[in-house]
């Protein structure tokens, strides 16, 4: 049995998945724009619903591709004399996978989790910068808050203000992208692991795949510099 057509279809589905990922990235940027522009919470919640819809599409696509791959592997393994009904076999496996769906699946989607984390960080940064509009906060408290925030702008590697901050999703620490990637590359050539450069952190295996752009912090740094 030739599976060339199936392989081609799987390739097309993976392309569709990349479009979903792009859509989730755009939705995240729009939500951050809304927070930065002081839009209503309702508008931001709309973007969160969009993210959940994308996450559901991603889950469905993953299940369908998995059903196809498992069916193909089963046929290759069993080598039946007669050509089986691929469509029904895939449908059965897909239905079984979909029957296990729960809302918590969507909450665990990596891009959705990144979306929630970035919104939280964005609101935290903007609360600091906008505190001067709150008459209940004394000037000295505001100065301390801003100073603490500016300390978070400093890369633990370069000791300079970050331009392209990336967050380590394992330990949560943030570094200048070029600086941490350079360390990872050098250690890779030496076949050694990279310890997190943040003083006091016990994480001893920093990987490039664990680094995610911290768009919220970048926007906060840019905003502070404009001020």
């Amino acid at each position: 049995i030739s599976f060339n057509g199936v392989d081609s279809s799987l390739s097309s589905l993976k392309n569709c998945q990349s479009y979903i990922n792009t859509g989730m990235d755009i939705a995240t940027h729009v939500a951050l724009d809304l927070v930065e522009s002081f839009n209503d919470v309702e508008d931001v919640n709309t973007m969160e619903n969009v993210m959940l819809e994308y996450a559901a599409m991603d889950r469905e696509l993953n299940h369908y591709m998995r059903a196809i791959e498992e069916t193909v592997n089963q046929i290759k393994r069993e080598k039946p004399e007669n050509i089986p009904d691929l469509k029904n076999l895939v449908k059965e496996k897909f239905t079984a996978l979909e029957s296990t769906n729960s809302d918590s699946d969507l909450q665990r989607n990596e891009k959705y989790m990144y979306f929630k984390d970035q919104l939280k960080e964005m609101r935290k940064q903007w609360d600091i910068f906008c505190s001067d509009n709150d008459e209940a906060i004394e000037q000295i408290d505001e100065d301390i808050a801003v100073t603490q925030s500016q300390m978070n702008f400093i890369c633990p590697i370069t000791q300079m203000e970050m331009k392209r901050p990336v967050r380590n999703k394992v330990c949560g620490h943030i570094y200048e992208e070029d600086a941490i990637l350079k360390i990872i590359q050098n250690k890779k050539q030496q076949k050694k692991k990279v310890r997190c450069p943040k003083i006091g952190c016990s994480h001893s295996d920093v990987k490039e795949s664990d680094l995610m752009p911290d768009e919220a912090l970048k926007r906060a740094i840019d905003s502070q510099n404009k001020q």
Side-chain angles (χ1 to χ4, degrees):
I1 303 173
S2 173
F3 294 103
N4 290 338
V6 175
D7 292 338
S8 177
S9 297
L10 277 174
S11 179
S12 297
L13 290 174
K14 287 175 182 176
N15 283 335
C16 289
Q17 197 166 37
S18 71
Y19 299 146
I20 291 174
N21 288 335
T22 299
M24 295 182 89
D25 289 341
I26 292 171
T28 299
H29 282 279
V30 170
L32 295 179
D33 286 341
L34 290 171
V35 174
E36 192 172 1
S37 304
F38 306 105
N39 277 263
D40 293 338
V41 173
E42 186 177 342
D43 293 332
V44 179
N45 288 343
T46 298
M47 297 316 300
E48 182 171 353
N49 290 333
V50 169
M51 289 293 290
L52 288 171
E53 289 176 12
Y54 272 127
M57 291 166 60
D58 185 61
R59 178 181 62 188
E60 184 176 357
L61 199 53
N62 277 327
H63 283 169
Y64 193 63
M65 289 191 292
R66 181 178 166 187
I68 293 173
E69 289 168 350
E70 288 183 358
T71 300
V72 169
N73 290 334
Q74 178 184 337
I75 293 171
K76 287 180 177 178
R77 186 172 58 251
E78 296 176 356
K79 298 178 181 178
E81 293 183 5
N82 298 320
I83 298 177
D85 190 331
L86 284 174
K87 185 176 180 180
N88 277 339
L89 285 174
V90 169
K91 185 177 180 180
E92 287 175 6
K93 290 184 182 295
F94 174 73
T95 302
L97 290 169
E98 285 284 288
S99 67
T100 64
N101 287 349
S102 69
D103 290 342
S104 61
D105 297 339
L106 307 183
Q107 306 287 336
R108 290 194 298 268
N109 179 281
E110 186 172 356
K111 284 194 176 290
Y112 176 76
M113 291 170 65
Y114 175 74
F115 170 88
K116 293 290 286 183
D117 176 70
Q118 288 291 283
L119 272 186
K120 179 181 176 182
E121 290 300 316
M122 190 74 168
R123 284 169 173 149
K124 187 192 301 180
Q125 295 292 344
W126 250 244
D127 283 345
I128 292 173
F129 293 136
C130 298
S131 61
D132 57 347
N133 294 325
D134 188 347
E135 295 178 358
I137 299 178
E138 295 182 4
Q139 183 65 39
I140 188 170
D141 292 333
E142 179 190 334
D143 291 341
I144 291 172
V146 173
T147 301
Q148 289 175 338
S149 176
Q150 288 171 336
M151 287 174 63
N152 294 332
F153 297 169
I154 303 301
C155 171
I157 303 168
T158 66
Q159 294 302 310
M160 297 175 65
E161 185 178 87
M162 290 178 281
K163 296 180 179 178
R164 296 178 64 183
V166 290
R167 183 187 297 273
N168 189 326
K169 62 185 179 183
V170 176
C171 64
H173 292 126
I174 306 166
Y175 335 97
E176 178 65 55
E177 183 178 33
D178 289 343
I180 188 64
L181 290 180
K182 187 174 182 179
I183 292 176
I184 292 173
Q185 188 60 37
N186 289 339
K187 291 293 185 181
K188 187 176 182 180
Q189 292 175 353
Q190 300 170 19
K191 296 183 179 179
K192 294 181 180 179
K193 293 182 179 180
V194 178
R195 177 175 288 278
C196 175
K198 184 72 173 178
I199 295 174
C201 183
S202 60
H203 182 45
S204 59
D205 190 13
V206 179
K207 299 176 182 176
E208 184 175 349
S209 58
D210 293 331
L211 304 177
M212 302 188 74
D214 196 321
E215 178 66 21
L217 183 59
K218 183 181 184 303
R219 289 173 183 238
I221 293 171
D222 291 344
S223 177
Q224 179 66 27
N225 288 336
K226 287 177 184 177
Q227 291 181 16

